[in-house]
Amino acid sequence: MRDTSCDFCADALNILVLQGGGALGAYQIGVFEALSEAGIQPDWVVGTSVGAINGALIAGNPDGERLQALEKFWYGIAQPATSMGAAFHPWERSIARTSAMVFGIPGFFRPRPLWTVPLWQSFFGEPPSLYDTEPLGDTLNRLVDFERLDARHPENVRLSVGAVNIGSGALRYFDSSHEALDHRHILASGALPPSFPPVWIDGEAYWDGGLYSNTPVSWVLAEHPHGETVVNCYVIDLWSSDGKVPETLQEAQLREKDIQYSSRAGEHLNLLEENQTLRMGIENLANHLPESLRKMPEIQEILSMTQKPSINVVRLLAAARPGETSLKDIDFSRATIDARRGSGYDDMHEVLSRCSQFAPLPHNIGVIVRNFTRDVDGELISLSTPEASPVHGENEGDLPTQAVGS
């Protein structure tokens, strides 16, 4: 599963990090499609909520059938299932949102009878939720080969999905490199209250991992392998962290949700940069120590903490679409799914087209973070800091980056 299509991606461990966001997750279909066309298949997928669903569809199918599995899921839940053309798109989006709230989404979730919903007191033993996600469990069992979600077998793609333990409030990652996963772990990662019910695993109840952290970069930082030379990490954000001050209640609801679920990835990547700076500093300091000191057990223990790979990070932030409302995450219309998929494909394809300008990391650089999004004019722009850009070649200055080294 090693890619050789460009200098940036060659001979590396490829990690795909997928944010949660309901219907916004259609963007990730296009991202995966562009990566696949470039010959880049993930060795490890980390997802939250809908990112966990997409991650299971990718990791739970063989190379060559993953995109098809994503298409079967997304076009199977599309409501309306077809589009009548651009002139009808606003109407179709409205119908999709209303239909999802009133009737649910076939193959995904269905409404509970109102008399069984425990608003103030539970009489029927029903879980505290408006909808039932049993249809999603059936869909996952049909589209995902869960025997593949056991990365203790080296030929399988590793999958990690985040969920919140309701009792302790702690975030837990169910990781196929530690345990075999089944549909319950995926449902737990997407069990957003009060819409969806808690999911019980080994006697503990779990809710959507996005309640704690909607972008699971922290797990990559805690778990990334020590034996690899280079790690390429593709972080896909679905929510717009930037936006204008709202002037209406509808705009306020939209902005609130964007802020609530937009990424903590920036904070986590800052932590990564700080850790890598410290690592490189320790290595440089050790080079000036006498050999007798370097062999001391205490020094050897410290040096062993620095044995981590160099990391290339591409963070792609999906741009907000015109006319979005606070209900954009339940717009499962075919037209919107197609539009989001197309945006994801175009964005990642353009990022990868610049790969030839990404030189290998120098020995004194531990991590480079590249952030991209579309501006209001539709141009793909870099959000990274030009001043931090290292000189890697004649063209590197054209692509601002954040570089951390010694």
Side-chain angles (χ1 to χ4, degrees), residues 40-259:
I40 302 170
Q41 288 294 328
D43 302 290
W44 180 13
V45 186
V46 189
T48 298
S49 197
V50 77
I53 295 174
N54 286 337
L57 293 166
I58 293 169
N61 282 280
D63 185 8
E65 298 180 19
R66 293 165 183 165
L67 181 60
Q68 183 181 21
L70 288 168
E71 291 174 336
K72 286 181 179 179
F73 173 77
W74 282 94
Y75 295 141
I77 65 173
Q79 298 290 318
T82 58
S83 176
M84 294 185 292
F88 294 91
H89 287 178
W91 176 80
E92 291 169 358
R93 289 195 295 267
S94 178
I95 291 294
R97 296 190 295 263
T98 302
S99 176
M101 289 188 292
V102 176
F103 303 109
I105 300 289
F108 197 160
F109 59 90
R110 61 193 173 207
R112 297 187 184 278
L114 289 178
W115 60 87
T116 68
V117 176
L119 294 176
W120 296 281
Q121 190 171 353
S122 178
F123 295 102
F124 303 98
E126 294 287 338
S129 68
L130 298 172
Y131 302 93
D132 174 19
T133 53
E134 183 179 348
L136 176 58
D138 294 338
T139 299
L140 290 171
N141 283 324
R142 178 169 53 87
L143 296 179
V144 176
D145 179 1
F146 281 98
E147 290 187 3
R148 290 181 173 273
L149 300 191
D150 186 351
R152 292 171 296 184
H153 300 289
E155 70 275 10
N156 292 341
V157 174
R158 180 179 178 182
L159 176 67
S160 308
V161 298
V164 173
N165 185 302
I166 299 175
S168 67
L171 180 65
R172 174 177 175 179
Y173 281 96
F174 297 103
D175 194 314
S176 69
S177 69
H178 305 318
E179 59 186 315
L181 304 185
D182 58 42
H183 72 279
R184 297 171 304 153
H185 301 94
I186 313 305
L187 292 179
S189 185
L192 183 65
S195 296
F196 299 154
V199 177
W200 290 81
I201 300 174
D202 298 331
E204 301 283 347
Y206 292 90
W207 270 336
D208 193 306
L211 295 174
Y212 190 98
S213 178
N214 199 35
T215 306
V217 175
S218 59
W219 188 243
V220 175
L221 306 187
E223 285 279 309
H224 69 70
H226 291 218
E228 299 289 337
T229 303
V230 177
V231 171
N232 292 334
C233 185
Y234 304 88
V235 181
I236 313 303
D237 288 6
L238 300 177
W239 297 88
S240 178
S241 56
D242 294 328
K244 69 174 185 176
V245 177
E247 298 178 358
T248 67
L249 286 178
Q250 186 180 60
E251 290 177 353
Q253 288 179 316
L254 172 61
R255 191 73 197 114
E256 177 194 22
K257 188 173 284 189
D258 278 338
I259 293 173

